Amino acid sequence: MEQPWPPSTSVALGLLVAVVLVAGAGSLALSATGPDDSGVGTTPAKLVEPRPGENVFWPYTSTRKSASGRTLAINLVVYADAETVRYFLTERGGATWNETTAEWQDVGPTTAGESAAAAGANGTVVEWASAQGATRYLYVHNYALTEPGPNETRRPYRAAPYTGHGDRTVGGRWIDEAYQLHDGTYFGARDHLRIYESPFESDEWVAVQAHSDHWDWFRLRHTVHATDATRDRLEREFMGEPSVETVWRMYLGNRRALGSDGWATVVDFVGLLGVGRIGSGLAAAGLVAGRDATALLGRRTATAGTRPPPHEFDRSLRTSAGPVGAAKRAAVSGLLARGWLDREGALLVVRGLSYALLFAALFGCYLFVRFGGIALETRFPGTRPEVIAAALYPVLALGLPAVAHAFGRDLDPVRSFSVAALGVGAAIVVDYRALGVTVLSLDVVLHRVGVVVAIGLLAAGSVSHRSSTETVNLLVAAGTLLWVTLLVAPLVGWL
């Protein structure tokens, strides 16, 4: 038996559920294998001297023991040991930093704009099969086995550059973090520190990579949105403290990393008593789909007029199924029973409220995922982040299209598209404002535009089947295809 195309609304939504489940299973399988990292690779050539006469390091972190895994820039150097830094940031009066336990660290590295195997700067995927904390490595090299680089010393404001000589695999080693600290929430936004202590006992410096990141529910990973601002915050915390002798800036020349200006803050401790020795292409498709949908909606508008008369809404409402349709009919009956309005007036009021409910439902559903995650994290701190993410991701992936379908029924397709797009768009803006995120990559911006278009299409396509069936099915098919694409793309590393 031949199947009609485009599919009906129920078939399209059923396919959406199936694809989301398959994509989730695929994400589980990919994350279980993890990136291919033998721990052996190229040794960085450019090294910097954090303190005159002490051993040198590469001024970037890496996802693997190779310069090819370069991620974020080292932007803070403290002349002290790691325990002194930990005590200062977590134990002193007014301290807000907390140590990040293994289960709440980032897991399974990957980067926006790079393949999952070539992990990079912008995020880390949730590794569902394991809660191992993702490691970022720092390369440290023996000062005695280096050669001076170009004459760019100008100390104390510019770190002296060096290169390893001869066999650079001799005299150097990759180290992982001594510990991690954070201030903020895992499923919201946070300032995040990775602290590295030199493996050479003669050294008295600690390198810190400081950044701000936020949890992206579409990518299921943290996305870095600031580095220098986090460094500046730490700088202010150290200034004026009795245990800190000086705070100044040193140029490390590591501007190739995300958000880095090449400068690191240097903190010189006097000492603390009692402390011993831290995708554009896919999103563009959304814009194209939105353009095509506008043409479809335009044809629908040309045949239906600029404003459907109340009797059309009345006829659609009488045949509308589901709890939302029943609630609308009850509202009309209630207004008529009280004699406040005639039937035409009651229909106009209920239709206006229907658009308001469509906006509010989508707005609330989107933000429920964000603030629900933060609330669960705060209320149940012992719960693994994978459990919370697994509970709330279906609300985003399936709840938004279901809400658009349920609350967009019996309304004008053009207005449904506009109201639904406005509701989701407003929620996205409020979400980022609440997180304090002011800078987004172009890929993420285009992806969110695609999300707005997809939900608008699904709302516009949910009108009663007694209305233009062809247009409705085309809108459902276009919205479902775009929504599934925008869900799968971030999970498999295409964004």
Side-chain angles (χ1 to χ4, degrees):
M1 183 177 67
E2 294 184 358
Q3 294 294 327
W5 183 262
S8 65
T9 302
S10 58
V11 172
L13 291 178
L15 290 175
L16 172 60
V17 173
V19 170
V20 169
L21 292 176
V22 171
S27 180
L28 285 171
L30 288 174
S31 62
T33 59
D36 183 14
D37 183 7
S38 63
V40 178
T42 58
T43 301
K46 179 181 178 180
L47 307 171
V48 296
E49 183 185 44
R51 193 171 189 176
E54 298 197 3
N55 294 297
V56 297
F57 65 80
W58 187 49
Y60 299 95
T61 58
S62 177
T63 58
R64 55 179 61 85
K65 296 178 180 179
S66 168
S68 62
R70 187 189 74 231
T71 53
L72 300 176
I74 296 296
N75 51 11
L76 180 72
V77 177
V78 183
Y79 294 162
D81 60 273
E83 286 306 312
T84 298
V85 176
R86 188 205 303 263
Y87 177 85
F88 179 88
L89 292 175
T90 63
E91 300 296 335
R92 80 186 196 285
T96 58
W97 295 94
N98 300 287
E99 186 157 1
T100 308
T101 57
E103 63 268 22
W104 289 96
Q105 294 176 8
D106 296 328
V107 286
T110 196
T111 300
E114 297 184 11
S115 66
N122 281 0
T124 47
V125 178
V126 169
E127 188 175 358
W128 297 96
S130 171
Q132 298 292 325
T135 299
R136 297 291 184 268
Y137 298 96
L138 177 70
Y139 182 78
V140 183
H141 199 87
N142 190 329
Y143 174 83
L145 299 177
T146 59
E147 294 178 346
N151 185 23
E152 297 180 357
T153 56
R154 288 191 285 171
R155 285 195 299 265
Y157 302 110
R158 182 180 292 270
Y162 291 86
T163 59
H165 67 85
D167 185 359
R168 289 200 298 268
T169 62
V170 177
R173 70 184 72 172
W174 291 92
I175 62 172
D176 57 8
E177 309 98 336
Y179 53 88
Q180 299 182 38
L181 300 178
H182 72 273
D183 181 20
T185 57
Y186 188 92
F187 288 106
R190 64 180 183 174
D191 291 338
H192 189 197
L193 310 180
R194 298 178 184 271
I195 287 79
Y196 301 86
E197 188 169 35
S198 173
F200 298 95
E201 293 184 1
S202 60
D203 290 337
E204 293 187 1
W205 56 260
V206 171
V208 181
Q209 200 300 301
H211 64 268
S212 299
D213 57 36
H214 64 276
W215 178 261
D216 189 326
W217 275 103
F218 285 98
R219 302 176 68 201
L220 288 180
R221 70 193 76 170
H222 283 101
T223 298
V224 175
H225 60 262
T227 54
D228 289 346
T230 317
R231 175 205 61 195
D232 295 345
R233 175 202 167 174
L234 282 171
E235 188 175 88
R236 291 191 297 270
E237 289 195 22
F238 284 110
M239 285 181 173
E241 290 291 329
S243 57
V244 176
E245 183 175 0
T246 57
V247 178
W248 50 285
R249 293 277 181 92
M250 177 170 60
Y251 187 70
L252 299 183
N254 50 1
R255 301 184 62 178
R256 298 176 64 187
L258 173 73
S260 174
D261 60 6
W263 290 84
T265 295
V266 179
V267 179
D268 194 351
F269 265 93
V270 175
L272 294 176
L273 296 177
V275 180
R277 288 209 36 107
I278 189 204
S280 297
L282 291 170
L287 298 178
V288 174
R291 180 192 62 196
D292 296 340
T294 301
L296 286 172
L297 291 171
R299 292 198 298 270
R300 165 72 176 164
T301 304
T303 59
T306 58
R307 182 174 180 176
H311 70 269
E312 290 189 7
F313 177 68
D314 188 15
R315 183 169 58 251
S316 176
L317 187 61
R318 291 178 186 273
T319 59
S320 178
V324 177
K328 293 177 183 179
R329 289 192 295 272
V332 172
S333 300
L335 290 173
L336 292 175
R338 287 171 174 77
W340 293 343
L341 297 169
D342 58 14
R343 185 165 187 84
E344 182 174 343
L347 290 171
L348 289 174
V349 169
V350 172
R351 183 168 60 184
L353 290 176
S354 298
Y355 287 118
L357 284 174
L358 174 62
F359 176 94
L362 290 171
F363 184 86
C365 182
Y366 189 95
L367 292 181
F368 171 81
V369 176
R370 169 70 65 194
F371 295 106
I374 295 174
L376 290 174
E377 168 192 348
T378 304
R379 179 65 180 82
F380 304 103
T383 304
R384 301 179 72 87
E386 296 94 334
V387 175
I388 296 175
L392 290 177
Y393 181 73
V395 178
L396 179 75
L398 303 178
L400 279 178
V403 167
H405 172 72
F407 287 88
R409 292 186 63 83
D410 312 311
L411 302 175
D412 176 67
V414 176
R415 289 182 173 83
S416 291
F417 177 92
S418 301
V419 172
L422 184 61
V424 175
I428 291 173
V429 172
V430 170
D431 181 36
Y432 281 125
R433 289 287 294 175
L435 297 177
V437 177
T438 57
V439 178
L440 294 171
S441 68
L442 179 60
D443 285 346
V444 173
V445 171
L446 292 177
H447 179 271
R448 297 306 187 267
V449 172
V451 167
V452 168
V453 172
I455 295 300
L457 290 175
L458 290 169
S462 66
V463 298
S464 172
H465 293 293
R466 294 182 179 274
S467 303
S468 183
T469 303
E470 180 183 357
T471 302
V472 170
N473 283 341
L474 286 175
L475 291 178
V476 170
T480 302
L481 179 61
L482 178 57
W483 180 247
V484 169
T485 302
L486 293 173
L487 287 179
V488 173
L491 293 179
V492 298
W494 295 345
L495 177 63

